[in-house]
Structures are given as C-alpha cells and as structure tokens.
Amino acid sequence: MTTIRAAVDDDRDAILSIIAPVLRAGETYAIDTDLSDEQILDYWFMPAHAVFVADDSGKILGTYYLMANQRGGGKHVANCGYMVSPEAQGRGLAQAMCEHSQGIAKNRGFLAMQFNHVVSTNTRAVALWQRLGFEIVGTLPKAFRHPVHGLVDSYVMFKTL
Amino acid sequence: MTTIRAAVDDDRDAILSIIAPVLRAGETYAIDTDLSDEQILDYWFMPAHAVFVADDSGKILGTYYLMANQRGGGKHVANCGYMVSPEAQGRGLAQAMCEHSQGIAKNRGFLAMQFNHVVSTNTRAVALWQRLGFEIVGTLPKAFRHPVHGLVDSYVMFKTL
C-alpha cells in the first residue's frame, strides 16, 4: 500500500538516495551536477518547498516538492518537481504524485500549476504531464545543455487547476 | 552624459528610491508588495544578481540586475530586470540598459536571455523587448494578479544572443 504524505526528517536519507543520482546525471533538472549530499538536501528542502514522499509500507519510492512559482502577483501559481526511485518506475507513481500535488495545491489556494523547464528530451515526462492536462505553453529554444544531446529545447508547461 | 556601470554601495539609496515604488505598486514584478526597504534591497542585491546603474553625472536614473536564469544545464541563459526612474522615462534608458545587459551577458558567456514573467498589461515593456529582438515564446494564462486589472496573462520572452 503506497501512501503519499508530507516528508519528515527521517525520510532524508531515502530522499537523498532517490534525488542525488537524478540531479547528478544533469539530464532533467536545471541544477548544478556537482552538489554535495548536503547541498542536494538543502535544495530539495529549501524553506519555500513543501516536500512529500510516496511511502510504500515504510519504503520511500518517490518524492516531490511543491512551492509558489513566483511571489507577489504570481503567487497563485504553484510549481512542483517530482522524482521516482528507479526500482519503482512504471508503476504510475509520478502520475499519483502529480495528482496528489494538484490536490494539495488546490487546498492551499493555488489556481494553477506551472513547470518552468521541462527538458524536451524527457519525453516520458512531457507525455505524462500532457496526459494529466498540462499544456506546453512555451518553448525555450536550446535553453538546456543536456550532457549527452547538447543544447536542447525546454518547455514551459501549465495547467489551470 | 549617462553611463551604465556596476552598482556600488553608495548607490543603494538611489536604487531603493527607484525600485521601491515600482515593487510596492505590484503591477510589473512578481514580488511581494509589502517588503521593507531592507528586504527590497536584499532582493535587488541578492548574491546571484549583478547590479548595474545608469548614472547621469552622479544622478542614478535607472538600474538593472543580471543573473543566470537557471543553474546547471540552464545556466547559459541570462535573466534581467530593469527599472527606470519616473523622471527619466521616455529617454531610451530602458533600451540602453537592455542593450548594455546583452553585451555584459555575452561577455560572461551567456548564449541567450529570458524574461520569465513579463506582465501582459505592461505593453510598453513588451513592445520595447520585441523591438530589441525578444520574442514571446510562451503565454502563461492568468499567471499574474494585477492590482487594478485582476488576473492577467504573463509572457515568457526570449532572445538568443
């Protein structure tokens, strides 16, 4: 039974083991690839982030953060980042976390959700977000330097909640 | 004679007098409108920002910041914000600062410049950036709550340098 719940301090090691390889691969998140474990956790747990985990009877299989994408006049739009453990790929966990995050966002008064930088080569993510109602509202030409593919486009994706 | 140069500590009061009214009006920047003077300066001078001023024989008429828009794979795209003193409007200062910032950005190795959140009601800015070669590459529906007009679209604007 997998439940999605707010992260607690005891989840930090498990979260690190999921997110560190993804960030260090540098293929999907616009974050430095040479961060220390501590810097990675500081990033994921930055004060603006509300962090959640997908907990399968005590085993953490995925995590996401939710934050306001902008401040002031832009603070009604949420932003999220999701990561799934390699062993849990293909089980619908990213979808479950995205749907969960939309519910949390609505509860917190957000009116929309925006992903600022979906790397175009991350086709599985793009297709999933589209299936969940997000639209590509912008294309950023060659805005991401992929370690394998070089400069590739990124998408801005948006969904009104 | 107006020159554009890096800001120094002595410019802080003049910069504050230009940017505080704009931020507190809340019509163009997605920043909280209730920031203290200190918080406003902390925002404009955040460590990631390189700050410049337009200096007319000792009088500061405008200011802008330059930063990397993203980290890691996105760090070759610059981001800027510009403000012009009310008394200096209409003199081409925003254009001069934008052109200056593109030169600085190129010198620093940036390959492109992106504005993440140009409020659609800020028609003068939109037209100016377009004239300077920026394209609207995305429209964020109702992503900005304007204090007068309510929820309005914002644009993502982009230029390859």
mmCIF file of all heavy atoms in Angstrom, chain B residues 12-57:
data_model
loop_
_atom_site.group_PDB
_atom_site.id
_atom_site.type_symbol
_atom_site.label_atom_id
_atom_site.label_comp_id
_atom_site.label_asym_id
_atom_site.label_seq_id
_atom_site.Cartn_x
_atom_site.Cartn_y
_atom_site.Cartn_z
ATOM 1 N N ARG B 12 23.010 52.544 -3.194
ATOM 2 C CA ARG B 12 21.862 51.806 -2.651
ATOM 3 C C ARG B 12 20.646 52.696 -2.390
ATOM 4 O O ARG B 12 19.517 52.321 -2.719
ATOM 5 C CB ARG B 12 22.271 51.049 -1.385
ATOM 6 C CG ARG B 12 23.222 49.900 -1.691
ATOM 7 C CD ARG B 12 23.786 49.278 -0.427
ATOM 8 N NE ARG B 12 22.806 48.622 0.392
ATOM 9 C CZ ARG B 12 22.518 47.320 0.321
ATOM 10 N NH1 ARG B 12 23.142 46.548 -0.531
ATOM 11 N NH2 ARG B 12 21.605 46.791 1.107
ATOM 12 N N ASP B 13 20.842 53.861 -1.821
ATOM 13 C CA ASP B 13 19.695 54.730 -1.528
ATOM 14 C C ASP B 13 19.000 55.165 -2.820
ATOM 15 O O ASP B 13 17.765 55.176 -2.908
ATOM 16 C CB ASP B 13 20.156 55.972 -0.753
ATOM 17 C CG ASP B 13 20.496 55.638 0.698
ATOM 18 O OD1 ASP B 13 20.212 54.505 1.128
ATOM 19 O OD2 ASP B 13 21.056 56.514 1.386
ATOM 20 N N ALA B 14 19.806 55.521 -3.801
ATOM 21 C CA ALA B 14 19.218 55.964 -5.067
ATOM 22 C C ALA B 14 18.477 54.813 -5.746
ATOM 23 O O ALA B 14 17.389 55.000 -6.310
ATOM 24 C CB ALA B 14 20.316 56.503 -5.988
ATOM 25 N N ILE B 15 19.076 53.620 -5.678
ATOM 26 C CA ILE B 15 18.414 52.455 -6.270
ATOM 27 C C ILE B 15 17.098 52.181 -5.557
ATOM 28 O O ILE B 15 16.052 51.959 -6.184
ATOM 29 C CB ILE B 15 19.353 51.230 -6.206
ATOM 30 C CG1 ILE B 15 20.501 51.411 -7.213
ATOM 31 C CG2 ILE B 15 18.588 49.934 -6.469
ATOM 32 C CD1 ILE B 15 21.594 50.360 -7.105
ATOM 33 N N LEU B 16 17.143 52.242 -4.231
ATOM 34 C CA LEU B 16 15.914 51.999 -3.460
ATOM 35 C C LEU B 16 14.814 52.971 -3.866
ATOM 36 O O LEU B 16 13.652 52.583 -4.023
ATOM 37 C CB LEU B 16 16.202 52.116 -1.960
ATOM 38 C CG LEU B 16 15.004 51.864 -1.058
ATOM 39 C CD1 LEU B 16 14.578 50.403 -1.129
ATOM 40 C CD2 LEU B 16 15.317 52.270 0.388
ATOM 41 N N SER B 17 15.175 54.231 -4.063
ATOM 42 C CA SER B 17 14.155 55.235 -4.389
ATOM 43 C C SER B 17 13.531 54.975 -5.755
ATOM 44 O O SER B 17 12.402 55.393 -6.016
ATOM 45 C CB SER B 17 14.745 56.640 -4.313
ATOM 46 O OG SER B 17 15.586 56.867 -5.424
ATOM 47 N N ILE B 18 14.253 54.270 -6.625
ATOM 48 C CA ILE B 18 13.689 53.923 -7.937
ATOM 49 C C ILE B 18 12.858 52.649 -7.856
ATOM 50 O O ILE B 18 11.740 52.588 -8.373
ATOM 51 C CB ILE B 18 14.820 53.734 -8.983
ATOM 52 C CG1 ILE B 18 15.514 55.083 -9.246
ATOM 53 C CG2 ILE B 18 14.268 53.148 -10.284
ATOM 54 C CD1 ILE B 18 16.772 54.964 -10.098
ATOM 55 N N ILE B 19 13.383 51.634 -7.194
ATOM 56 C CA ILE B 19 12.728 50.321 -7.281
ATOM 57 C C ILE B 19 11.608 50.134 -6.269
ATOM 58 O O ILE B 19 10.644 49.409 -6.549
ATOM 59 C CB ILE B 19 13.751 49.157 -7.177
ATOM 60 C CG1 ILE B 19 14.388 49.059 -5.791
ATOM 61 C CG2 ILE B 19 14.814 49.261 -8.256
ATOM 62 C CD1 ILE B 19 15.365 47.883 -5.639
ATOM 63 N N ALA B 20 11.696 50.788 -5.103
ATOM 64 C CA ALA B 20 10.676 50.553 -4.077
ATOM 65 C C ALA B 20 9.267 50.908 -4.564
ATOM 66 O O ALA B 20 8.338 50.108 -4.397
ATOM 67 C CB ALA B 20 11.028 51.302 -2.790
ATOM 68 N N PRO B 21 9.070 52.083 -5.175
ATOM 69 C CA PRO B 21 7.706 52.400 -5.629
ATOM 70 C C PRO B 21 7.192 51.409 -6.675
ATOM 71 O O PRO B 21 6.008 51.065 -6.677
ATOM 72 C CB PRO B 21 7.840 53.809 -6.232
ATOM 73 C CG PRO B 21 9.105 54.366 -5.666
ATOM 74 C CD PRO B 21 10.014 53.197 -5.424
ATOM 75 N N VAL B 22 8.089 50.940 -7.539
ATOM 76 C CA VAL B 22 7.669 50.002 -8.591
ATOM 77 C C VAL B 22 7.261 48.671 -7.977
ATOM 78 O O VAL B 22 6.206 48.112 -8.301
ATOM 79 C CB VAL B 22 8.809 49.801 -9.620
ATOM 80 C CG1 VAL B 22 8.413 48.751 -10.653
ATOM 81 C CG2 VAL B 22 9.168 51.120 -10.281
ATOM 82 N N LEU B 23 8.091 48.161 -7.059
ATOM 83 C CA LEU B 23 7.767 46.871 -6.440
ATOM 84 C C LEU B 23 6.506 46.985 -5.585
ATOM 85 O O LEU B 23 5.667 46.083 -5.585
ATOM 86 C CB LEU B 23 8.946 46.380 -5.595
ATOM 87 C CG LEU B 23 10.212 46.036 -6.391
ATOM 88 C CD1 LEU B 23 11.313 45.546 -5.458
ATOM 89 C CD2 LEU B 23 9.925 44.975 -7.461
ATOM 90 N N ARG B 24 6.376 48.085 -4.875
ATOM 91 C CA ARG B 24 5.197 48.237 -3.991
ATOM 92 C C ARG B 24 3.919 48.447 -4.785
ATOM 93 O O ARG B 24 2.833 48.130 -4.306
ATOM 94 C CB ARG B 24 5.444 49.364 -2.988
ATOM 95 C CG ARG B 24 6.500 48.937 -1.958
ATOM 96 C CD ARG B 24 6.754 49.961 -0.877
ATOM 97 N NE ARG B 24 7.738 49.420 0.070
ATOM 98 C CZ ARG B 24 8.752 50.095 0.589
ATOM 99 N NH1 ARG B 24 8.920 51.379 0.288
ATOM 100 N NH2 ARG B 24 9.594 49.510 1.420
ATOM 101 N N ALA B 25 4.025 48.977 -5.988
ATOM 102 C CA ALA B 25 2.829 49.103 -6.833
ATOM 103 C C ALA B 25 2.344 47.727 -7.273
ATOM 104 O O ALA B 25 1.152 47.518 -7.497
ATOM 105 C CB ALA B 25 3.144 49.978 -8.055
ATOM 106 N N GLY B 26 3.255 46.780 -7.418
ATOM 107 C CA GLY B 26 2.867 45.395 -7.703
ATOM 108 C C GLY B 26 2.266 45.170 -9.072
ATOM 109 O O GLY B 26 1.531 44.218 -9.289
ATOM 110 N N GLU B 27 2.578 46.036 -10.019
ATOM 111 C CA GLU B 27 1.959 45.916 -11.343
ATOM 112 C C GLU B 27 2.834 45.212 -12.366
ATOM 113 O O GLU B 27 2.348 44.812 -13.423
ATOM 114 C CB GLU B 27 1.584 47.314 -11.871
ATOM 115 C CG GLU B 27 0.569 48.007 -10.972
ATOM 116 C CD GLU B 27 0.007 49.285 -11.577
ATOM 117 O OE1 GLU B 27 0.527 49.734 -12.620
ATOM 118 O OE2 GLU B 27 -0.947 49.830 -10.999
ATOM 119 N N THR B 28 4.126 45.062 -12.069
ATOM 120 C CA THR B 28 5.030 44.555 -13.099
ATOM 121 C C THR B 28 5.971 43.456 -12.612
ATOM 122 O O THR B 28 6.402 42.629 -13.415
ATOM 123 C CB THR B 28 5.891 45.705 -13.671
ATOM 124 O OG1 THR B 28 6.477 46.424 -12.586
ATOM 125 C CG2 THR B 28 5.036 46.648 -14.505
ATOM 126 N N TYR B 29 6.298 43.435 -11.355
ATOM 127 C CA TYR B 29 7.225 42.416 -10.828
ATOM 128 C C TYR B 29 6.456 41.466 -9.917
ATOM 129 O O TYR B 29 5.626 41.913 -9.110
ATOM 130 C CB TYR B 29 8.360 43.069 -10.033
ATOM 131 C CG TYR B 29 9.503 43.559 -10.900
ATOM 132 C CD1 TYR B 29 9.350 44.660 -11.721
ATOM 133 C CD2 TYR B 29 10.720 42.895 -10.909
ATOM 134 C CE1 TYR B 29 10.390 45.109 -12.526
ATOM 135 C CE2 TYR B 29 11.775 43.326 -11.704
ATOM 136 C CZ TYR B 29 11.597 44.434 -12.515
ATOM 137 O OH TYR B 29 12.637 44.863 -13.304
ATOM 138 N N ALA B 30 6.757 40.171 -10.042
ATOM 139 C CA ALA B 30 6.105 39.160 -9.203
ATOM 140 C C ALA B 30 6.857 39.048 -7.879
ATOM 141 O O ALA B 30 7.542 38.067 -7.599
ATOM 142 C CB ALA B 30 6.055 37.824 -9.934
ATOM 143 N N ILE B 31 6.731 40.108 -7.092
ATOM 144 C CA ILE B 31 7.405 40.208 -5.794
ATOM 145 C C ILE B 31 6.380 40.734 -4.791
ATOM 146 O O ILE B 31 5.516 41.529 -5.157
ATOM 147 C CB ILE B 31 8.595 41.204 -5.903
ATOM 148 C CG1 ILE B 31 9.657 40.649 -6.849
ATOM 149 C CG2 ILE B 31 9.210 41.516 -4.542
ATOM 150 C CD1 ILE B 31 10.325 39.390 -6.364
ATOM 151 N N ASP B 32 6.523 40.312 -3.551
ATOM 152 C CA ASP B 32 5.597 40.805 -2.536
ATOM 153 C C ASP B 32 5.636 42.330 -2.482
ATOM 154 O O ASP B 32 6.694 42.947 -2.598
ATOM 155 C CB ASP B 32 5.968 40.224 -1.168
ATOM 156 C CG ASP B 32 5.828 38.708 -1.150
ATOM 157 O OD1 ASP B 32 4.887 38.203 -1.798
ATOM 158 O OD2 ASP B 32 6.650 38.033 -0.514
ATOM 159 N N THR B 33 4.468 42.914 -2.275
ATOM 160 C CA THR B 33 4.361 44.377 -2.313
ATOM 161 C C THR B 33 4.582 45.006 -0.939
ATOM 162 O O THR B 33 4.606 46.227 -0.818
ATOM 163 C CB THR B 33 2.976 44.801 -2.836
ATOM 164 O OG1 THR B 33 1.983 44.146 -2.039
ATOM 165 C CG2 THR B 33 2.800 44.394 -4.292
ATOM 166 N N ASP B 34 4.714 44.164 0.079
ATOM 167 C CA ASP B 34 4.806 44.708 1.440
ATOM 168 C C ASP B 34 6.219 44.553 2.021
ATOM 169 O O ASP B 34 6.392 44.509 3.239
ATOM 170 C CB ASP B 34 3.791 44.018 2.340
ATOM 171 C CG ASP B 34 4.004 42.511 2.392
ATOM 172 O OD1 ASP B 34 4.852 42.003 1.624
ATOM 173 O OD2 ASP B 34 3.326 41.845 3.200
ATOM 174 N N LEU B 35 7.213 44.486 1.160
ATOM 175 C CA LEU B 35 8.584 44.333 1.643
ATOM 176 C C LEU B 35 9.081 45.639 2.280
ATOM 177 O O LEU B 35 8.733 46.733 1.827
ATOM 178 C CB LEU B 35 9.521 43.945 0.491
ATOM 179 C CG LEU B 35 9.249 42.614 -0.214
ATOM 180 C CD1 LEU B 35 10.321 42.355 -1.269
ATOM 181 C CD2 LEU B 35 9.182 41.462 0.773
ATOM 182 N N SER B 36 9.925 45.485 3.294
ATOM 183 C CA SER B 36 10.594 46.642 3.890
ATOM 184 C C SER B 36 11.680 47.143 2.929
ATOM 185 O O SER B 36 12.063 46.440 1.987
ATOM 186 C CB SER B 36 11.228 46.245 5.214
ATOM 187 O OG SER B 36 12.294 45.331 4.976
ATOM 188 N N ASP B 37 12.168 48.340 3.211
ATOM 189 C CA ASP B 37 13.273 48.860 2.393
ATOM 190 C C ASP B 37 14.431 47.865 2.356
ATOM 191 O O ASP B 37 15.023 47.622 1.298
ATOM 192 C CB ASP B 37 13.784 50.190 2.967
ATOM 193 C CG ASP B 37 12.806 51.325 2.729
ATOM 194 O OD1 ASP B 37 11.774 51.107 2.061
ATOM 195 O OD2 ASP B 37 13.074 52.438 3.224
ATOM 196 N N GLU B 38 14.739 47.306 3.515
ATOM 197 C CA GLU B 38 15.866 46.384 3.594
ATOM 198 C C GLU B 38 15.608 45.133 2.757
ATOM 199 O O GLU B 38 16.506 44.638 2.066
ATOM 200 C CB GLU B 38 16.078 46.018 5.065
ATOM 201 C CG GLU B 38 17.434 45.423 5.344
ATOM 202 C CD GLU B 38 17.571 45.056 6.823
ATOM 203 O OE1 GLU B 38 16.964 45.748 7.666
ATOM 204 O OE2 GLU B 38 18.250 44.057 7.113
ATOM 205 N N GLN B 39 14.383 44.616 2.841
ATOM 206 C CA GLN B 39 14.054 43.420 2.061
ATOM 207 C C GLN B 39 14.105 43.716 0.565
ATOM 208 O O GLN B 39 14.505 42.865 -0.233
ATOM 209 C CB GLN B 39 12.663 42.906 2.446
ATOM 210 C CG GLN B 39 12.625 42.273 3.833
ATOM 211 C CD GLN B 39 11.210 41.962 4.282
ATOM 212 O OE1 GLN B 39 10.303 42.786 4.128
ATOM 213 N NE2 GLN B 39 11.013 40.780 4.838
ATOM 214 N N ILE B 40 13.697 44.907 0.185
ATOM 215 C CA ILE B 40 13.745 45.284 -1.230
ATOM 216 C C ILE B 40 15.192 45.325 -1.721
ATOM 217 O O ILE B 40 15.521 44.792 -2.786
ATOM 218 C CB ILE B 40 13.029 46.639 -1.445
ATOM 219 C CG1 ILE B 40 11.507 46.430 -1.379
ATOM 220 C CG2 ILE B 40 13.446 47.279 -2.766
ATOM 221 C CD1 ILE B 40 10.698 47.701 -1.462
ATOM 222 N N LEU B 41 16.054 45.931 -0.916
ATOM 223 C CA LEU B 41 17.473 45.978 -1.308
ATOM 224 C C LEU B 41 18.088 44.578 -1.295
ATOM 225 O O LEU B 41 18.916 44.252 -2.148
ATOM 226 C CB LEU B 41 18.238 46.933 -0.393
ATOM 227 C CG LEU B 41 18.020 48.417 -0.722
ATOM 228 C CD1 LEU B 41 18.609 49.315 0.358
ATOM 229 C CD2 LEU B 41 18.612 48.768 -2.086
ATOM 230 N N ASP B 42 17.682 43.751 -0.323
ATOM 231 C CA ASP B 42 18.187 42.370 -0.292
ATOM 232 C C ASP B 42 17.781 41.627 -1.569
ATOM 233 O O ASP B 42 18.538 40.815 -2.096
ATOM 234 C CB ASP B 42 17.627 41.609 0.922
ATOM 235 C CG ASP B 42 18.348 41.993 2.199
ATOM 236 O OD1 ASP B 42 19.396 42.660 2.123
ATOM 237 O OD2 ASP B 42 17.848 41.637 3.281
ATOM 238 N N TYR B 43 16.562 41.895 -2.030
ATOM 239 C CA TYR B 43 16.097 41.265 -3.264
ATOM 240 C C TYR B 43 16.938 41.732 -4.456
ATOM 241 O O TYR B 43 17.482 40.935 -5.212
ATOM 242 C CB TYR B 43 14.615 41.567 -3.481
ATOM 243 C CG TYR B 43 14.146 41.346 -4.894
ATOM 244 C CD1 TYR B 43 14.101 40.067 -5.440
ATOM 245 C CD2 TYR B 43 13.765 42.415 -5.701
ATOM 246 C CE1 TYR B 43 13.690 39.856 -6.751
ATOM 247 C CE2 TYR B 43 13.352 42.219 -7.008
ATOM 248 C CZ TYR B 43 13.320 40.947 -7.529
ATOM 249 O OH TYR B 43 12.923 40.750 -8.815
ATOM 250 N N TRP B 44 17.059 43.045 -4.602
ATOM 251 C CA TRP B 44 17.757 43.576 -5.784
ATOM 252 C C TRP B 44 19.238 43.202 -5.774
ATOM 253 O O TRP B 44 19.827 42.932 -6.822
ATOM 254 C CB TRP B 44 17.581 45.098 -5.841
ATOM 255 C CG TRP B 44 17.752 45.666 -7.214
ATOM 256 C CD1 TRP B 44 18.778 46.419 -7.675
ATOM 257 C CD2 TRP B 44 16.852 45.531 -8.325
ATOM 258 N NE1 TRP B 44 18.586 46.761 -8.987
ATOM 259 C CE2 TRP B 44 17.403 46.222 -9.412
ATOM 260 C CE3 TRP B 44 15.610 44.880 -8.490
ATOM 261 C CZ2 TRP B 44 16.783 46.293 -10.664
ATOM 262 C CZ3 TRP B 44 14.987 44.947 -9.729
ATOM 263 C CH2 TRP B 44 15.581 45.642 -10.794
ATOM 264 N N PHE B 45 19.812 43.155 -4.550
ATOM 265 C CA PHE B 45 21.241 42.839 -4.413
ATOM 266 C C PHE B 45 21.466 41.393 -3.971
ATOM 267 O O PHE B 45 22.466 41.100 -3.333
ATOM 268 C CB PHE B 45 21.906 43.800 -3.422
ATOM 269 C CG PHE B 45 22.192 45.157 -4.000
ATOM 270 C CD1 PHE B 45 21.301 46.203 -3.817
ATOM 271 C CD2 PHE B 45 23.348 45.384 -4.732
ATOM 272 C CE1 PHE B 45 21.562 47.461 -4.351
ATOM 273 C CE2 PHE B 45 23.615 46.634 -5.263
ATOM 274 C CZ PHE B 45 22.718 47.680 -5.075
ATOM 275 N N MET B 46 20.538 40.498 -4.273
ATOM 276 C CA MET B 46 20.766 39.099 -3.860
ATOM 277 C C MET B 46 22.073 38.602 -4.484
ATOM 278 O O MET B 46 22.496 39.090 -5.539
ATOM 279 C CB MET B 46 19.573 38.223 -4.236
ATOM 280 C CG MET B 46 19.433 37.903 -5.702
ATOM 281 S SD MET B 46 18.120 36.672 -6.046
ATOM 282 C CE MET B 46 16.608 37.629 -5.870
ATOM 283 N N PRO B 47 22.735 37.666 -3.800
ATOM 284 C CA PRO B 47 24.074 37.260 -4.263
ATOM 285 C C PRO B 47 24.127 36.850 -5.738
ATOM 286 O O PRO B 47 25.139 37.091 -6.405
ATOM 287 C CB PRO B 47 24.400 36.074 -3.352
ATOM 288 C CG PRO B 47 23.631 36.338 -2.098
ATOM 289 C CD PRO B 47 22.359 37.002 -2.539
ATOM 290 N N ALA B 48 23.046 36.285 -6.251
ATOM 291 C CA ALA B 48 23.058 35.836 -7.646
ATOM 292 C C ALA B 48 22.981 37.002 -8.637
ATOM 293 O O ALA B 48 23.245 36.824 -9.821
ATOM 294 C CB ALA B 48 21.889 34.880 -7.892
ATOM 295 N N HIS B 49 22.593 38.193 -8.162
ATOM 296 C CA HIS B 49 22.397 39.344 -9.058
ATOM 297 C C HIS B 49 23.676 40.152 -9.231
ATOM 298 O O HIS B 49 24.312 40.526 -8.241
ATOM 299 C CB HIS B 49 21.344 40.295 -8.477
ATOM 300 C CG HIS B 49 19.933 39.838 -8.630
ATOM 301 N ND1 HIS B 49 18.850 40.607 -8.240
ATOM 302 C CD2 HIS B 49 19.412 38.700 -9.131
ATOM 303 C CE1 HIS B 49 17.732 39.945 -8.487
ATOM 304 N NE2 HIS B 49 18.044 38.788 -9.027
ATOM 305 N N ALA B 50 24.036 40.457 -10.460
ATOM 306 C CA ALA B 50 24.995 41.530 -10.739
ATOM 307 C C ALA B 50 24.154 42.776 -11.015
ATOM 308 O O ALA B 50 23.274 42.756 -11.879
ATOM 309 C CB ALA B 50 25.852 41.185 -11.939
ATOM 310 N N VAL B 51 24.393 43.845 -10.273
ATOM 311 C CA VAL B 51 23.538 45.037 -10.366
ATOM 312 C C VAL B 51 24.288 46.166 -11.060
ATOM 313 O O VAL B 51 25.461 46.417 -10.769
ATOM 314 C CB VAL B 51 23.065 45.485 -8.964
ATOM 315 C CG1 VAL B 51 22.218 46.751 -9.061
ATOM 316 C CG2 VAL B 51 22.278 44.366 -8.281
ATOM 317 N N PHE B 52 23.589 46.819 -11.954
ATOM 318 C CA PHE B 52 24.149 47.947 -12.698
ATOM 319 C C PHE B 52 23.251 49.172 -12.521
ATOM 320 O O PHE B 52 22.070 49.041 -12.169
ATOM 321 C CB PHE B 52 24.264 47.597 -14.195
ATOM 322 C CG PHE B 52 25.248 46.484 -14.455
ATOM 323 C CD1 PHE B 52 24.872 45.156 -14.292
ATOM 324 C CD2 PHE B 52 26.555 46.762 -14.824
ATOM 325 C CE1 PHE B 52 25.784 44.122 -14.504
ATOM 326 C CE2 PHE B 52 27.467 45.746 -15.035
ATOM 327 C CZ PHE B 52 27.079 44.426 -14.877
ATOM 328 N N VAL B 53 23.836 50.342 -12.755
ATOM 329 C CA VAL B 53 23.057 51.580 -12.701
ATOM 330 C C VAL B 53 23.341 52.428 -13.937
ATOM 331 O O VAL B 53 24.431 52.340 -14.525
ATOM 332 C CB VAL B 53 23.381 52.421 -11.441
ATOM 333 C CG1 VAL B 53 22.839 51.744 -10.178
ATOM 334 C CG2 VAL B 53 24.874 52.694 -11.314
ATOM 335 N N ALA B 54 22.341 53.215 -14.284
ATOM 336 C CA ALA B 54 22.529 54.261 -15.296
ATOM 337 C C ALA B 54 22.795 55.547 -14.533
ATOM 338 O O ALA B 54 21.938 56.030 -13.786
ATOM 339 C CB ALA B 54 21.282 54.385 -16.172
ATOM 340 N N ASP B 55 23.984 56.082 -14.705
ATOM 341 C CA ASP B 55 24.498 57.184 -13.891
ATOM 342 C C ASP B 55 24.628 58.408 -14.785
ATOM 343 O O ASP B 55 25.459 58.442 -15.696
ATOM 344 C CB ASP B 55 25.858 56.746 -13.319
ATOM 345 C CG ASP B 55 26.538 57.839 -12.509
ATOM 346 O OD1 ASP B 55 26.206 59.026 -12.677
ATOM 347 O OD2 ASP B 55 27.430 57.489 -11.712
ATOM 348 N N ASP B 56 23.790 59.414 -14.519
ATOM 349 C CA ASP B 56 23.829 60.653 -15.294
ATOM 350 C C ASP B 56 24.574 61.707 -14.479
ATOM 351 O O ASP B 56 23.962 62.432 -13.678
ATOM 352 C CB ASP B 56 22.394 61.105 -15.603
ATOM 353 C CG ASP B 56 22.365 62.358 -16.467
ATOM 354 O OD1 ASP B 56 23.370 62.632 -17.157
ATOM 355 O OD2 ASP B 56 21.340 63.068 -16.429
ATOM 356 N N SER B 57 25.872 61.745 -14.652
ATOM 357 C CA SER B 57 26.726 62.700 -13.928
ATOM 358 C C SER B 57 26.463 62.668 -12.428
ATOM 359 O O SER B 57 26.311 63.716 -11.779
ATOM 360 C CB SER B 57 26.509 64.124 -14.459
ATOM 361 O OG SER B 57 26.651 64.151 -15.861
#
